[in-house]
Amino acid sequence: MTPERRAPTGTDAGVSDPMTGRLLDGRYRIRGRIARGGMASVYEATDLRLDRTVAVKVMHPGMGDDTEFADRFVREARAAARLSHPHVVAVYDQGDDDGIVFLAMEHVPGHTLRDVIRKESPMAPGRALALLEPVVSALAAAHRAGLVHRDVKPENVLIADDSAGGAVKVADFGLAKAISADTQHTATGGVLIGTVSYLAPELVVEGRSDARADVYAAGVVLYELLTGQKPHEGESPIQVAYKHVHEDVPAPSATVDGIPPYVDALVARATARDRTQRPADAGVLLHLLHQVAHAVAAGVWTDPDLEADLALRPSAAPGPVAGLDVDTAPQVFGASPQADGGEHAAWLLPAAAAATAASAVDDRTTAIPREPAHQAPAPPGPPSGPSRERDERPPARPRRSRRGPVLLAVALVLVTALGASAWWFGWARYTSTPAVLGMSQGAAVDELEAAGLEVEVGDPAYSETVPAGKVLSTDPGAGERVLDGGTVTLTMSLGKERYDVPKLRGMTEDQAQDALAELKLDFGDSTGRWSTTVPEGRVLRSDPPVGTTLRPGSIVDLVVSKGPQPVELRDWVGRSAATAQAWLEERGITVDASRTEHSDTVAEGDVISMDPAGGSQVHEGDTVTLVVSSGPELVAVPDGLRGSGVDAATQALEDLGFEVRVRNADGYLGLGYVWSVDPESGTEVPAGSTITLSII
């Protein structure tokens, strides 16, 4: 996976994505998008055949049209699938569904090492080493299998939730390259792809990678864990790449206190600019890391033996790399950053330019001993007499002496002419570019034209140091030689690159992430909040709030609605319906209390039952139905009982559900007729009540 930006799983983050809900290869049902990179997006999906959750990596539309790129995608997927290691994200399947090229991989619910760095860094050495150890272990397995990852960074290290065991796994072997002695160039037709903050110097200069490039990136990650910041920063990815080549990674202890010297030494060893000084592969780095971790766990502050083992071998410090000057680097780096840009940009280095830069790494002059000119044998000594001198003198000698001055004069003329030509063509017809940096455009144009130069205005650029409307740079640069009447191109400053946080309220989380990406702002975390005004899954607000001006790459967190807060119902059965209704309505819940029933056990006006029942969760706007007691059912005592026979009266009352009690009236005569009824006839009493008959 390429988790440049991760969205929480289980949300509606992908509701606006056309991939959501799609069935790939008749097997993988796509759910929400959980990550997005420069070349592909990763989705949570269900493997319908094996009934399990997987992560599906889908190439961005259009990239699959490039046959070479698609073939490389498939080839490298197969290479990554060869790895079987507890700290490597497993690759299950690969396919092509109607032009959609995809990988099915292990799903790791959780967060990335980048999230840990944001929350915990700078962290203690023991914690940093514990987090890095499984990463290096995974890289060691890859190196043993003949694979180089080539894109080691915190975003590609996944940490499972505690519910999933908290496992640490390395993801995205999409840039992996099989190690081969004769195929060390990059896999994209001689161009370099990688994340600039973690690029080894040889990748920048030569476009070549081996296991030691992964070791370098792991060392940069360790530095970031220890300090909370990257070792090399710059206004552009080109400047960062330049620093990787020309500057050593500083000691973490220079930024953060409490770091033992041998931890500094481990970082220096892993990030040595001279790759021959680095551990040969991640297996060797893992061994060194274990040694350092044991020393940290033992509470040792200094360990001379360990520091000596880790120390770099004495060698000449690497010199500047010709062809990679920070001002001319745009001529070497021939492509643009990926869409997500910023500090995670991937850059392309033409292979030819890389080869040129590599060949010019050492531009020191070497003195070559000068060989002595061939000399003729010395002439014999002078003769003893004048006659012998005249006889033996060569007849041509006077002619040669006359030709010598002529030849010398010709040589001097030629040298003078050549010198004059060289002076003219190499110097005299050139002038120096005036220094106009920081001037307004008008003033700069006047200055350059006064020097006899033509002026062009190129595309403007952002700058953290040069105010808007002022000259940021010139080509050629100030003081450089330019032909008289030549052209100088001005680059005007746009000022500091800043973007206002857009209005995100009401958007889905995925839409909000897209809006932030368009403004070169990075999505951080999302937090759920209850809301009665914003539907569930929509953005409530951002942090920083809308309108806040930020630098590119700044983190923006989102607060996402969880919908209305649920209310747990009290059990109102047997209690006052009026009180229950007031309590529910106070919480925005609609009450239906129109239904009443007779009850012999529940007093009139109290609740007989409720739907939903007490203890249930409801939300504002939901309806709760109350069944209210109207008291027991009343039955009228029938008329005509007085004067009737006791048996007939008893039968009539029992037919109405009454209980009957018979007693003798005062002055009882034994006639067996009803003298009085209690309660009296016509009185309404609850069904089942006892009616007393007095007989005479």
Side-chain angles (χ1 to χ4, degrees), residues 341-659:
E343 63 186 3
H344 306 304
W347 288 85
L348 309 182
L349 177 65
T356 302
S359 66
V361 169
D362 190 352
D363 58 357
R364 292 169 293 182
T365 302
T366 302
I368 302 176
R370 183 177 179 181
E371 296 184 358
H374 176 72
Q375 297 180 3
S384 59
S387 61
R388 182 176 179 86
E389 181 176 343
R390 287 193 302 268
D391 295 340
E392 295 181 0
R393 184 174 56 193
R397 188 172 181 86
R399 286 181 52 196
R400 292 181 61 189
S401 63
R402 289 195 298 271
R403 290 178 57 193
V406 175
L407 293 175
L408 177 61
V410 172
L412 289 175
V413 171
L414 290 174
V415 169
T416 302
L418 289 173
S421 299
W423 174 78
W424 170 252
F425 288 102
W427 183 261
R429 65 181 184 144
Y430 286 87
T431 185
S432 295
T433 305
V436 295
L437 301 183
M439 293 185 179
S440 65
Q441 181 174 327
V445 170
D446 291 343
E447 182 81 11
L448 293 169
E449 289 181 345
L453 299 172
E454 299 291 330
V455 181
E456 287 185 359
V457 179
D459 294 333
Y462 291 102
S463 172
E464 291 294 311
T465 57
V466 179
K470 302 296 184 180
V471 176
L472 174 61
S473 65
T474 61
D475 183 20
E480 293 184 9
R481 293 163 62 195
V482 60
L483 285 171
D484 281 331
T487 300
V488 175
T489 302
L490 298 179
T491 299
M492 305 303 299
S493 172
L494 292 173
K496 297 180 179 180
E497 186 175 10
R498 296 293 185 269
Y499 298 96
D500 292 341
V501 177
K503 181 180 179 182
L504 304 175
R505 182 180 176 89
M507 293 183 181
T508 65
E509 188 169 348
D510 193 63
Q511 291 170 341
Q513 289 186 33
D514 290 340
L516 292 173
E518 289 177 1
L519 296 179
K520 300 183 182 179
L521 300 176
D522 288 349
F523 165 68
D525 297 318
S526 63
T527 305
R529 292 288 185 272
W530 305 112
S531 174
T532 59
T533 57
V534 176
E536 182 178 0
R538 301 281 175 164
V539 175
L540 278 169
R541 62 180 181 274
S542 61
D543 181 22
V546 59
T548 303
T549 302
L550 301 174
R551 296 179 63 168
S554 298
I555 302 297
V556 178
D557 297 325
L558 300 178
V559 178
V560 181
S561 172
K562 297 195 295 184
Q565 183 175 4
V567 176
E568 183 175 346
L569 292 178
R570 292 184 182 178
D571 188 357
W572 292 98
V573 174
R575 302 170 67 180
S576 169
T579 303
Q581 182 169 350
W583 185 87
L584 292 168
E585 289 177 346
E586 183 179 345
R587 287 155 180 78
I589 299 171
T590 303
V591 179
D592 179 5
S594 60
R595 182 179 171 187
T596 61
E597 292 181 1
H598 292 291
S599 174
D600 295 333
T601 58
V602 179
E604 182 178 359
D606 290 349
V607 177
I608 297 175
S609 64
M610 58 188 296
D611 183 27
S616 301
Q617 298 277 343
V618 295
H619 297 85
E620 182 177 345
D622 291 349
T623 299
V624 175
T625 301
L626 302 178
V627 178
V628 182
S629 172
S630 59
E633 184 179 3
L634 299 180
V635 180
V637 177
D639 294 329
L641 297 178
R642 187 174 184 182
S644 62
V646 64
D647 292 337
T650 298
Q651 185 62 48
L653 291 170
E654 289 178 346
D655 289 344
L656 293 174
F658 292 115
E659 298 289 333

Side-chain angles (χ1 to χ4, degrees), residues 101-400:
V101 181
F102 69 90
L103 298 179
M105 302 175 292
E106 176 185 5
H107 178 249
V108 184
H111 51 283
T112 69
L113 188 59
R114 172 65 62 202
D115 300 319
V116 176
I117 291 174
R118 286 173 181 153
K119 294 178 181 178
E120 299 184 25
S121 289
M123 61 181 67
R127 169 66 169 160
L129 294 169
L131 285 170
L132 188 66
E133 192 273 340
V135 177
V136 178
S137 177
L139 294 175
H143 294 171
R144 286 193 299 272
L147 290 175
V148 181
H149 188 288
R150 300 201 305 168
D151 197 19
V152 178
K153 58 184 176 181
E155 288 80 2
N156 282 339
V157 178
L158 308 183
I159 303 176
D161 292 332
D162 292 339
S163 60
V168 177
K169 291 180 179 284
V170 177
D172 198 2
F173 276 83
L175 296 181
K177 177 70 177 176
I179 301 174
S180 170
D182 57 353
T183 57
Q184 288 293 303
H185 289 291
T186 57
T188 55
V191 296
L192 172 73
I193 302 179
T195 305
V196 70
S197 293
Y198 306 90
L199 285 183
E202 64 269 18
L203 274 168
V204 178
V205 176
E206 304 173 20
R208 290 173 172 266
S209 64
D210 59 16
R212 291 169 293 185
D214 285 350
V215 170
Y216 183 91
V220 174
V221 172
L222 177 57
Y223 179 92
E224 198 169 352
L225 290 169
L226 292 167
T227 65
Q229 61 191 39
K230 296 182 176 65
H232 298 312
E233 300 284 358
E235 292 186 10
S236 69
I238 296 174
Q239 291 181 345
V240 176
Y242 178 88
K243 290 183 178 181
H244 278 292
V245 176
H246 290 269
E247 298 178 12
D248 291 328
V249 170
S253 61
T255 302
V256 178
D257 295 332
I259 296 179
Y262 51 82
V263 175
D264 281 344
L266 178 63
V267 173
R269 182 73 177 274
T271 60
R273 285 187 287 156
D274 179 1
R275 59 182 165 191
T276 63
Q277 299 264 33
R278 291 180 222 145
D281 57 27
V284 179
L285 177 62
L286 184 62
H287 174 71
L288 298 177
L289 188 148
H290 285 161
Q291 289 182 293
V292 171
H294 288 321
V296 171
V300 177
W301 177 252
T302 59
D303 187 332
D305 292 338
L306 179 56
E307 292 168 31
D309 289 342
L310 294 171
L312 298 175
R313 299 184 302 276
S315 63
V321 176
L324 195 66
D325 187 89
V326 70
D327 295 323
T328 60
Q331 301 170 11
V332 178
F333 286 79
S336 303
Q338 294 176 356
D340 46 352
E343 63 186 3
H344 306 304
W347 288 85
L348 309 182
L349 177 65
T356 302
S359 66
V361 169
D362 190 352
D363 58 357
R364 292 169 293 182
T365 302
T366 302
I368 302 176
R370 183 177 179 181
E371 296 184 358
H374 176 72
Q375 297 180 3
S384 59
S387 61
R388 182 176 179 86
E389 181 176 343
R390 287 193 302 268
D391 295 340
E392 295 181 0
R393 184 174 56 193
R397 188 172 181 86
R399 286 181 52 196
R400 292 181 61 189

Side-chain angles (χ1 to χ4, degrees), residues 48-59:
L48 301 180
R49 188 176 303 168
L50 298 179
D51 191 23
R52 65 179 175 181
T53 299
V54 298
V56 173
K57 183 175 183 178
V58 179
M59 285 175 52

